[in-house]
Amino acid sequence: MGRSSRDFVTFVRQYLRYDLRRELIAWWKIAKFYLPIGLVVAALALAILVYIEPFPRGHTVLAIGQRGTLSRDLGDAFQSYFERHGLTLDIRSRPGLDAVEKDIHDPGSDINASFVVSGAGSAADYPDLVSLGNVAIAPAWLFYRGETVKVDDPFQYYRDRPIAVGAPGTVSARLFATLMDLNNPGTGDRPNFLKLPNQEAVAQLRAGTIDALFIVDGFASPVIQQLLSDPTVKLMNFPLVDAYVRRLPFLRKVTVPRGAIDIGEVRPGSDIALLASSVNLLVEKDTHPAVQWAFLLASREISLKSDNFFPVADNLPQYRDRSFPLSPIATRFYTSGVPGIFSYLPLWLAALLENVWIVLLALLLLGLPLFNKIIGYRGFASQKLLWLHFWELRYLEDELVAARTVGEVGSVMERLSLLDAKTTETWVQDDQMRHYFTLRRNISSMLQDAQKKISLLQKS
């Protein structure tokens, strides 16, 4: 080992033996000196921690539609994503939007998130919810049996024929009523508009009991796939789809290309235009940021991994339906994208840091001045401790001058010795060292004066 290495090792040993111990003792004494202020700061820090809620409160409960639908598949995918990232998502199946609205407006309900298809509700219907955007596309399918139907207005055609329009309160039933009334005002609720659950409606259509079935659901939905795979069931074309979209802006046009269902049998035989709506994901306004980010990131992952039959520009999620206000978290997601910290940190921690980044930036900008302040507080504590000893010495000097008996002088000497011991144990900052030794010399000098006074009193 060279000389420089030995010198460095010696330095480290001396630092660990003397300087580090002295520094730790210094901060311990400073902590005791500033204890009252520290308690106040700790209380404020705790209050801030409670306010920003670093962890989600309890479970998140997502309301979905009937089993075998797009919302069920989405719910399962969201639940899987939440589990992978240490969060809990419970699924609650609801028969229709009426039940969802009732749950959301019920203070005792634990539902705090739901899928709502565009056109089936608005912010007025869900005042306590905000949107995370559109997470899926749900076309409006009109399946029928028999001869091929080619009409401009399919709803006029089925106005007096038995058609399943969806269970009461469902998206299908609501959208059917809206579309029927668009070109056929005053039609209302007719006996031939059968409000059947999906599976029952499919069974009746395939059995020939009803002529047609109207349903709003995703392409990958088991119900839709069941109907598309049945060669005896036909899919209605909407020739006036562009006009419908112009009248109802929350809708969009999608196309089933010729042969896309069965390329071998070339089904359908020609392009089929459909109306489609967007599936909005709504959450309560006070939903924890980590939960909102989990929904948004899960939506993006699901969209990227899914084989989307109907292509969507820029992928999902999107903010297309403006009838629901975006949450602040979703606004940041759509305007600034996903912060890079989500690639390196657990989701809950990344969401917390992203939510308080302004505070962290402010702390960073104030870091150097605060450090200088802390150093100043450190020096102030050192000076204050020494000054307290100086004042004590001043009082003892007055007592020594006023002492008239050996016993009184002896009492002053005892307290001087105690003061000397306290001074020896007192932490002193480097630039206050001269005051430390001045105090020690003054204490020693006063002890000598006290001893001389005792000798004079004993002689007299």
Side-chain angles (χ1 to χ4, degrees), residues 44 50 87 138-140 147 156 220 256 267 285 290 295-296 307 312 319 336 359 362 364 391 393 400 408 414 417-418:
L44 290 174
V50 172
L87 300 172
E147 297 297 324
Q156 171 66 32
V256 179
R267 286 195 305 116
K285 293 179 179 178
F295 273 128
L296 290 165
D307 183 15
V312 179
Y319 184 46
S336 305
V359 177
L364 181 62
W391 275 109
L393 182 63
L400 181 59
E408 291 176 349
E414 289 179 5
S417 298
L418 288 175

Short mmCIF file of all heavy atoms in Angstrom, two decimals, residues 44 50 87 138-140 147 156 220 256 267 285 290 295-296 307 312 319 336 359 362 364 391 393 400 408 414 417-418:
data_model
loop_
_atom_site.label_atom_id
_atom_site.label_comp_id
_atom_site.label_asym_id
_atom_site.label_seq_id
_atom_site.Cartn_x
_atom_site.Cartn_y
_atom_site.Cartn_z
N LEU A 44 -47.57 19.23 9.70
CA LEU A 44 -47.92 19.75 8.39
C LEU A 44 -47.61 18.73 7.29
O LEU A 44 -48.40 18.55 6.35
CB LEU A 44 -47.17 21.05 8.11
CG LEU A 44 -47.59 22.26 8.94
CD1 LEU A 44 -46.66 23.44 8.67
CD2 LEU A 44 -49.03 22.66 8.62
N VAL A 50 -51.73 13.07 3.93
CA VAL A 50 -53.13 12.62 3.95
C VAL A 50 -53.90 13.25 2.79
O VAL A 50 -54.73 12.61 2.14
CB VAL A 50 -53.78 12.97 5.30
CG1 VAL A 50 -55.29 12.69 5.25
CG2 VAL A 50 -53.14 12.17 6.43
N LEU A 87 -53.13 -3.50 -7.94
CA LEU A 87 -54.38 -2.81 -7.62
C LEU A 87 -55.54 -3.79 -7.70
O LEU A 87 -55.44 -4.85 -8.34
CB LEU A 87 -54.62 -1.64 -8.58
CG LEU A 87 -53.56 -0.54 -8.60
CD1 LEU A 87 -53.84 0.45 -9.72
CD2 LEU A 87 -53.50 0.18 -7.26
N ALA A 138 -68.42 0.49 -30.40
CA ALA A 138 -69.57 -0.41 -30.30
C ALA A 138 -70.51 -0.12 -31.46
O ALA A 138 -71.32 0.82 -31.40
CB ALA A 138 -70.28 -0.20 -28.97
N PRO A 139 -70.43 -0.90 -32.54
CA PRO A 139 -71.35 -0.70 -33.67
C PRO A 139 -72.79 -1.05 -33.31
O PRO A 139 -73.05 -1.84 -32.40
CB PRO A 139 -70.81 -1.65 -34.75
CG PRO A 139 -69.41 -1.96 -34.33
CD PRO A 139 -69.43 -1.92 -32.83
N ALA A 140 -73.71 -0.47 -34.06
CA ALA A 140 -75.13 -0.82 -33.94
C ALA A 140 -75.44 -1.83 -35.06
O ALA A 140 -75.44 -1.48 -36.25
CB ALA A 140 -76.00 0.42 -34.08
N GLU A 147 -85.29 -13.03 -46.89
CA GLU A 147 -84.77 -12.46 -48.11
C GLU A 147 -83.95 -11.18 -47.80
O GLU A 147 -84.20 -10.50 -46.81
CB GLU A 147 -85.90 -12.10 -49.08
CG GLU A 147 -86.71 -13.31 -49.56
CD GLU A 147 -85.87 -14.29 -50.36
OE1 GLU A 147 -84.98 -13.81 -51.10
OE2 GLU A 147 -86.08 -15.51 -50.23
N GLN A 156 -87.81 2.28 -40.65
CA GLN A 156 -89.15 2.37 -41.23
C GLN A 156 -89.63 0.98 -41.64
O GLN A 156 -90.79 0.61 -41.43
CB GLN A 156 -89.14 3.31 -42.44
CG GLN A 156 -90.42 3.32 -43.27
CD GLN A 156 -91.60 3.88 -42.50
OE1 GLN A 156 -91.43 4.75 -41.65
NE2 GLN A 156 -92.80 3.36 -42.78
N ALA A 220 -65.95 -8.17 -31.29
CA ALA A 220 -65.42 -9.37 -30.63
C ALA A 220 -66.39 -9.97 -29.62
O ALA A 220 -66.10 -11.02 -29.05
CB ALA A 220 -64.10 -9.04 -29.94
N VAL A 256 -68.14 -2.99 -42.75
CA VAL A 256 -67.77 -4.40 -42.80
C VAL A 256 -67.46 -4.70 -44.26
O VAL A 256 -68.38 -4.75 -45.11
CB VAL A 256 -68.89 -5.31 -42.29
CG1 VAL A 256 -68.47 -6.77 -42.38
CG2 VAL A 256 -69.27 -4.95 -40.86
N ARG A 267 -68.79 -13.67 -47.57
CA ARG A 267 -69.85 -13.06 -46.74
C ARG A 267 -69.24 -11.90 -45.96
O ARG A 267 -68.19 -12.08 -45.34
CB ARG A 267 -70.44 -14.08 -45.75
CG ARG A 267 -71.34 -15.08 -46.39
CD ARG A 267 -72.19 -15.84 -45.37
NE ARG A 267 -71.39 -16.49 -44.32
CZ ARG A 267 -71.46 -16.18 -43.01
NH1 ARG A 267 -72.24 -15.21 -42.60
NH2 ARG A 267 -70.72 -16.81 -42.15
N LYS A 285 -65.42 11.61 -9.65
CA LYS A 285 -64.50 12.74 -9.72
C LYS A 285 -63.32 12.60 -8.77
O LYS A 285 -62.22 13.07 -9.06
CB LYS A 285 -65.25 14.04 -9.42
CG LYS A 285 -66.26 14.42 -10.48
CD LYS A 285 -67.00 15.69 -10.11
CE LYS A 285 -68.00 16.07 -11.18
NZ LYS A 285 -68.77 17.30 -10.84
N ALA A 290 -53.89 7.07 -9.16
CA ALA A 290 -53.30 5.79 -9.57
C ALA A 290 -54.33 4.91 -10.28
O ALA A 290 -54.00 4.22 -11.25
CB ALA A 290 -52.73 5.06 -8.35
N PHE A 295 -56.53 2.72 -15.43
CA PHE A 295 -57.56 2.57 -16.46
C PHE A 295 -57.04 3.05 -17.82
O PHE A 295 -57.24 2.38 -18.85
CB PHE A 295 -58.81 3.37 -16.08
CG PHE A 295 -59.78 2.62 -15.21
CD1 PHE A 295 -60.25 3.17 -14.03
CD2 PHE A 295 -60.26 1.37 -15.59
CE1 PHE A 295 -61.16 2.50 -13.23
CE2 PHE A 295 -61.18 0.68 -14.79
CZ PHE A 295 -61.62 1.25 -13.61
N LEU A 296 -56.40 4.21 -17.85
CA LEU A 296 -55.92 4.77 -19.11
C LEU A 296 -54.84 3.90 -19.74
O LEU A 296 -54.86 3.62 -20.95
CB LEU A 296 -55.40 6.19 -18.87
CG LEU A 296 -56.46 7.25 -18.56
CD1 LEU A 296 -55.82 8.51 -17.99
CD2 LEU A 296 -57.26 7.58 -19.81
N ASP A 307 -56.93 -7.23 -31.88
CA ASP A 307 -57.05 -7.25 -33.34
C ASP A 307 -58.32 -6.49 -33.70
O ASP A 307 -59.40 -7.06 -33.84
CB ASP A 307 -57.12 -8.70 -33.84
CG ASP A 307 -57.16 -8.78 -35.36
OD1 ASP A 307 -56.85 -7.76 -36.00
OD2 ASP A 307 -57.51 -9.86 -35.88
N VAL A 312 -59.19 2.29 -36.02
CA VAL A 312 -59.42 3.59 -35.37
C VAL A 312 -58.16 4.41 -35.54
O VAL A 312 -57.07 3.97 -35.20
CB VAL A 312 -59.74 3.41 -33.88
CG1 VAL A 312 -59.95 4.77 -33.21
CG2 VAL A 312 -60.98 2.54 -33.70
N TYR A 319 -60.48 10.89 -26.92
CA TYR A 319 -61.53 11.74 -26.34
C TYR A 319 -62.36 12.28 -27.50
O TYR A 319 -62.09 13.35 -28.04
CB TYR A 319 -60.93 12.88 -25.53
CG TYR A 319 -61.98 13.74 -24.83
CD1 TYR A 319 -63.03 13.15 -24.13
CD2 TYR A 319 -61.91 15.12 -24.86
CE1 TYR A 319 -63.99 13.91 -23.48
CE2 TYR A 319 -62.86 15.90 -24.21
CZ TYR A 319 -63.90 15.28 -23.53
OH TYR A 319 -64.85 16.05 -22.89
N SER A 336 -50.36 15.51 -22.96
CA SER A 336 -48.91 15.35 -22.77
C SER A 336 -48.42 13.93 -22.92
O SER A 336 -47.22 13.68 -22.90
CB SER A 336 -48.52 15.87 -21.37
OG SER A 336 -48.94 17.20 -21.19
N VAL A 359 -45.05 20.25 -6.99
CA VAL A 359 -44.52 20.42 -5.64
C VAL A 359 -43.06 19.99 -5.59
O VAL A 359 -42.21 20.67 -5.00
CB VAL A 359 -45.36 19.62 -4.63
CG1 VAL A 359 -44.76 19.72 -3.23
CG2 VAL A 359 -46.80 20.12 -4.62
N ALA A 362 -40.88 22.56 -7.23
CA ALA A 362 -40.69 23.72 -6.34
C ALA A 362 -39.67 23.40 -5.25
O ALA A 362 -38.81 24.22 -4.92
CB ALA A 362 -42.02 24.12 -5.73
N LEU A 364 -37.28 21.26 -5.49
CA LEU A 364 -35.95 21.19 -6.12
C LEU A 364 -35.38 22.59 -6.32
O LEU A 364 -34.20 22.83 -6.05
CB LEU A 364 -36.06 20.47 -7.46
CG LEU A 364 -34.75 20.30 -8.24
CD1 LEU A 364 -33.78 19.44 -7.44
CD2 LEU A 364 -35.03 19.67 -9.60
N TRP A 391 -24.61 33.41 29.47
CA TRP A 391 -25.56 34.09 30.36
C TRP A 391 -25.58 33.43 31.74
O TRP A 391 -25.66 34.11 32.77
CB TRP A 391 -26.96 34.07 29.75
CG TRP A 391 -27.19 35.20 28.78
CD1 TRP A 391 -27.30 35.13 27.43
CD2 TRP A 391 -27.30 36.58 29.12
NE1 TRP A 391 -27.48 36.38 26.89
CE2 TRP A 391 -27.48 37.30 27.91
CE3 TRP A 391 -27.24 37.31 30.32
CZ2 TRP A 391 -27.63 38.68 27.86
CZ3 TRP A 391 -27.40 38.69 30.27
CH2 TRP A 391 -27.59 39.37 29.05
N LEU A 393 -23.11 31.91 33.10
CA LEU A 393 -21.86 32.33 33.74
C LEU A 393 -22.00 33.75 34.29
O LEU A 393 -21.49 34.07 35.39
CB LEU A 393 -20.71 32.26 32.72
CG LEU A 393 -19.32 32.64 33.25
CD1 LEU A 393 -18.88 31.66 34.35
CD2 LEU A 393 -18.31 32.66 32.12
N LEU A 400 -21.45 35.22 42.84
CA LEU A 400 -20.15 35.14 43.49
C LEU A 400 -19.78 36.48 44.14
O LEU A 400 -19.28 36.52 45.28
CB LEU A 400 -19.08 34.74 42.48
CG LEU A 400 -17.65 34.59 43.02
CD1 LEU A 400 -17.59 33.52 44.12
CD2 LEU A 400 -16.68 34.27 41.90
N GLU A 408 -21.97 29.92 50.63
CA GLU A 408 -22.53 30.54 49.42
C GLU A 408 -21.53 30.46 48.28
O GLU A 408 -21.89 30.17 47.13
CB GLU A 408 -22.91 31.99 49.70
CG GLU A 408 -24.10 32.12 50.65
CD GLU A 408 -24.38 33.57 50.98
OE1 GLU A 408 -23.54 34.44 50.66
OE2 GLU A 408 -25.46 33.86 51.56
N GLU A 414 -19.83 24.84 42.84
CA GLU A 414 -20.45 23.59 42.36
C GLU A 414 -21.16 23.81 41.03
O GLU A 414 -21.04 23.01 40.10
CB GLU A 414 -21.42 23.05 43.40
CG GLU A 414 -20.77 22.49 44.65
CD GLU A 414 -21.80 22.00 45.65
OE1 GLU A 414 -23.01 22.02 45.31
OE2 GLU A 414 -21.40 21.60 46.76
N SER A 417 -18.72 24.24 38.23
CA SER A 417 -18.19 22.94 37.77
C SER A 417 -19.20 22.24 36.87
O SER A 417 -18.84 21.63 35.84
CB SER A 417 -17.85 22.06 38.97
OG SER A 417 -16.84 22.66 39.76
N LEU A 418 -20.49 22.32 37.25
CA LEU A 418 -21.53 21.72 36.40
C LEU A 418 -21.60 22.42 35.04
O LEU A 418 -21.75 21.77 33.99
CB LEU A 418 -22.89 21.81 37.09
CG LEU A 418 -23.10 20.89 38.29
CD1 LEU A 418 -24.45 21.17 38.94
CD2 LEU A 418 -23.03 19.42 37.85
#
